[in-house]
Amino acid sequence: MTETTGPTRQTGTASPEPDLWEPHAPAAGTLRPLPAQGLDLRVSGTASARQLADGVVEVTAEGPAAVRIEWRVPCVDATSFWTPEPRGTGWLPAAWSAPRRTGLAAGAPIAALVGTGDAALCAFAAEQVEVLAGAGVVEETGEFRFWAQAEGRLTVRIDTSGRHYARCLADLTAWWGEGRTAVIPDAARRPAYSTWYSMHQGVSPERIETQAALGKDLGLDVIIVDDGWMTADRTRGYAHCGDWEPVSLPDTAEHVKRVHDLGVQYLLWYALPFIGKDSAAFRQIGRYVLADAAHMGAIVADPRYPEVREFLTGRLARAVEEWGMDGLKVDFVDWFARAAERADAPQPGPEADCASVAEGVEKLLAAIRARITAAHPEAMVEHRQPYVSPGLWPYVTMIRATDCPLSPQENRQRTVDVRLAAGPVPVHADMLMWHPAEPPEQIACHLINVLFSVPQISVDLAAQDPGQREALAFWLGVFREHLDTLQLGELRPSRPDLGYPLVTALGAGTVAVARYAALPVDASAADWRTLLVANANADPDVRLTGGSGTAAVTVQDARGRIVRQDEIDLGRTDTVPVPRGGLLTLRRG
């Protein structure tokens, strides 16, 4: 390990290109060169750099106000710029592009410049969650410039090792995990049913219990009841949020018990920040306004005030403490951050006990988590992209991709993006829904597109024909049987610039590959005993490369029916036909 430390010093020679270091970006003191393993690195404030491994440097800057760290790498063989934000991957931004602001309730301070062969030309993460960061191509030089800025202190890790970008990102999220805990119940990794797309606000005990029973038979162990349970209004506004009384779920505890008797766990939806203007809660705490969401019929409550936090914590905890539910779907947390960034955001009044909205949000989420786990140690909490910050790990048990109904490629990209930044927290797909006429092959493809996450299903299960149910049951069985590899194995997504046309997970003795385009599958790894290839492409010819020895072959179609079962010589077999939506399983002794 090498280390450079102490205040950075002005060299006495002006930078030949000062305008290229700070175009269209906020200043944070005077930037000075800092030697660090050949990086073109500049910092403000008092700074130090230490080399952690070959190609990995940690840089810290401190100062009385905002501090900034900037660096450049040659933009050679670059293919895409990866971030965990919706639609954030697949292109190279310009250096003058608007910076990203990450915080507790929005985004995560991590990114990577990816090159040919999925090598990380440069990946970085910040230790702090409240960071302003920019990145992009410098038009004058063809370099790629990164910068990050934070108040008072900033530590970043920069990885230019050239390894697979997913390996670099895994190391960076492991670094985050050194100071944070995430307690994950087993049920948070099990397939779930959601009422949102299938029912929207039209929920009732009878409808919920029917879907829970049908879902359990298919392999869905959790049901998540969304909007509509707290109001008789069906206009899909938020004017009735805040009271959180189970208007549409009479005899709530008995209803929950009936769902539990089916062997299904139960989560309930809350729009945490919203206090509707037609609610009694508005008359009680409506004076604590962080932002007016008039178009939604609600306000965003200000979590800097203890009265707001106590009120919201008590309302949400009832689901677990009084009604016996197994957790909460906590929605719209990012609206706190949006409201705090508005130019007209109010200053805290004398009753506030938090200097920042982020501090109030963290206290609120911590209080909710403490209350529900005191009543139910295995209680679950779902959050949603874009609030994927590592600062939330102690308060969450799963993160869902943001809404993308009936968009398999988008669901694939979002779940993979979030997984690369989520560390130990399970990632759930956006709810899967489809037209009643959807063929079993396409239903299978919907599931294959989210194979490396936890699927949530949101269709009327009673309306599915036998083929649709067979496809659903078969693939949910694959998720459950190979959970350790699919969710906990080493994730290797290929070609982020093309939306991940091939994704691989490496487990203990099992390799799982999902094929979304007509790309070859590498069978050369010496230690696999089981190789799974899920085919979501219309081309049935799965080409295997690099294999040797013999293997038992099973090919199943989208409904799980066996269409081939024999043995092949991997050294002589080039192609194995696999139907669209089907699964190839190779096993060797």
Side-chain angles (χ1 to χ4, degrees), residues 313-496:
T313 298
R315 290 291 170 168
L316 269 67
R318 291 177 68 201
V320 178
E321 294 174 341
E322 297 180 25
W323 305 328
M325 294 184 182
D326 304 286
L328 313 173
K329 174 177 179 173
V330 181
D331 214 348
F332 297 109
V333 173
D334 53 313
W335 276 69
F336 287 122
R338 291 190 202 180
E341 291 174 6
R342 288 173 49 162
D344 59 350
Q347 294 299 312
E351 299 169 70
D353 63 352
C354 297
S356 70
V357 173
E359 182 186 356
V361 170
E362 185 159 17
K363 285 187 174 183
L364 173 60
L365 295 175
I368 293 169
R369 180 85 167 131
R371 281 279 294 271
I372 66 173
T373 53
H376 184 345
E378 297 288 298
M380 293 175 278
V381 177
E382 180 193 284
H383 287 179
R384 174 177 53 80
Q385 195 184 25
Y387 42 104
V388 297
S389 167
L392 296 178
W393 289 359
Y395 319 120
V396 63
T397 64
M398 59 259 247
I399 301 170
R400 179 177 64 82
T402 196
D403 299 28
C404 51
L406 236 174
S407 300
Q409 190 279 337
E410 191 71 19
N411 219 348
R412 173 173 86 241
Q413 182 154 343
R414 293 181 182 187
T415 51
V416 171
D417 283 345
V418 178
R419 267 209 59 182
L420 290 170
V425 182
V427 172
H428 282 229
D430 184 43
M431 297 77 71
L432 303 185
M433 50 83 63
W434 49 82
H435 189 275
E438 195 80 282
E441 292 77 14
Q442 185 60 17
I443 291 171
C445 289
H446 282 297
L447 287 154
I448 296 170
N449 270 278
V450 298
L451 189 62
F452 303 94
S453 63
V454 181
Q456 292 189 16
I457 307 301
S458 192
V459 293
D460 181 0
L461 297 175
Q464 305 304 297
D465 65 34
Q468 293 170 321
R469 285 195 295 270
E470 287 172 9
L472 188 51
F474 169 61
W475 279 103
L476 290 175
V478 173
F479 279 91
R480 294 160 63 94
E481 180 182 356
H482 297 286
L483 183 152
D484 286 348
T485 297
L486 297 174
Q487 291 188 41
L488 300 172
E490 180 184 345
L491 191 66
R492 291 284 189 89
S494 299
R495 299 299 302 272

Side-chain angles (χ1 to χ4, degrees), residues 284-328:
Q284 182 173 344
I285 63 169
R287 65 189 180 278
Y288 298 116
V289 182
L290 183 61
D292 190 346
H295 64 294
M296 304 179 78
I299 64 163
V300 176
D302 194 334
R304 292 175 291 188
Y305 295 88
E307 184 176 345
V308 170
R309 298 196 304 272
E310 290 166 12
F311 178 86
L312 293 176
T313 298
R315 290 291 170 168
L316 269 67
R318 291 177 68 201
V320 178
E321 294 174 341
E322 297 180 25
W323 305 328
M325 294 184 182
D326 304 286
L328 313 173

